Amino acid sequence: AGSAHRFPHSIFRESDDHDVIRFLFQLIDLRGLKRRSRDHDSSLLELSARFLDARTANANPSVTFFCQIYLFRGDPATMHELWPSHISEAVSSGSSEVTTLGDSGWRNVTARCVSTNDADFAVVHIAARPNIRGPMPSDLFADDVKLTLKTHPSLPERIVEK
């Protein structure tokens, strides 16, 4: 299991009326997990976050909040040079989203992807995007961001013949 990393409530607070999307990327080196995961058949990587659209009810535009995970092979130090043009080279990925119109209360979003032993690093992404062009609405928040690795033990195999 992973541990929570708490981000400031104002992560999506808009300061420039010309921006149309607010996002946060984090690169996670997975190479140390390979040694520990040899005893498991499969594992699932989950990125979860709570999002709040604190605008008044039925506020326009609608806003979509995202959680996304991409797993890659190779050297994580070079990813900043390649992002986002090499998303298609991900060995696994997962995404989840929720769309709000203000007064949504805290909404949980969880993206999941199968973690393969050949993945060397993950790029995790949380974002808020208004669904029409224009200034980014204020009062959009993210909190309780977590990255969790769930493993399942390898079970003995038995071939049964009739």
Side-chain angles (χ1 to χ4, degrees):
S3 61
H5 177 73
R6 192 170 205 80
F7 290 90
H9 282 281
S10 61
I11 192 168
F12 292 129
R13 180 75 70 177
E14 182 55 43
S15 61
D16 179 358
D17 288 346
H18 297 95
D19 286 350
V20 295
I21 189 167
R22 284 278 151 211
F23 54 86
L24 176 72
F25 290 91
Q26 180 72 45
L27 193 137
I28 314 292
D29 191 336
L30 301 173
R31 293 174 291 192
L33 295 176
K34 287 183 180 184
R35 282 173 253 141
R36 292 187 228 157
S37 64
R38 289 189 180 123
D39 296 333
H40 301 95
D41 272 340
S42 64
S43 56
L44 193 66
L45 199 58
E46 291 185 350
L47 172 65
S48 62
R50 293 174 18 144
F51 296 101
L52 175 65
D53 181 346
R55 300 174 299 155
T56 59
N58 298 311
N60 280 310
S62 62
V63 172
T64 301
F65 295 101
F66 298 89
C67 283
Q68 298 174 313
I69 307 170
Y70 302 95
L71 302 183
F72 294 93
R73 289 185 200 103
D75 183 4
T78 63
M79 179 49 75
H80 71 282
E81 299 167 6
L82 308 172
W83 189 261
S85 62
H86 292 293
I87 285 178
S88 63
E89 296 178 13
V91 295
S92 184
S93 64
S95 181
S96 187
E97 64 187 58
V98 64
T99 300
T100 63
L101 277 168
D103 196 28
S104 66
W106 285 99
R107 304 287 297 270
N108 295 318
V109 177
T110 302
R112 296 173 178 88
C113 75
V114 174
S115 179
T116 62
N117 277 334
D118 60 343
D120 294 311
F121 64 97
V123 175
V124 297
H125 174 216
I126 61 171
R129 184 193 71 211
N131 292 311
I132 61 171
R133 290 194 79 57
M136 177 63 95
S138 61
D139 297 328
L140 306 177
F141 303 93
D143 199 2
D144 201 21
V145 178
K146 296 177 187 176
L147 185 64
T148 305
L149 180 67
K150 294 184 174 182
T151 58
H152 306 282
S154 298
L155 298 175
E157 294 181 23
R158 180 183 290 170
I159 298 174
V160 178
E161 295 181 26
K162 289 186 177 184

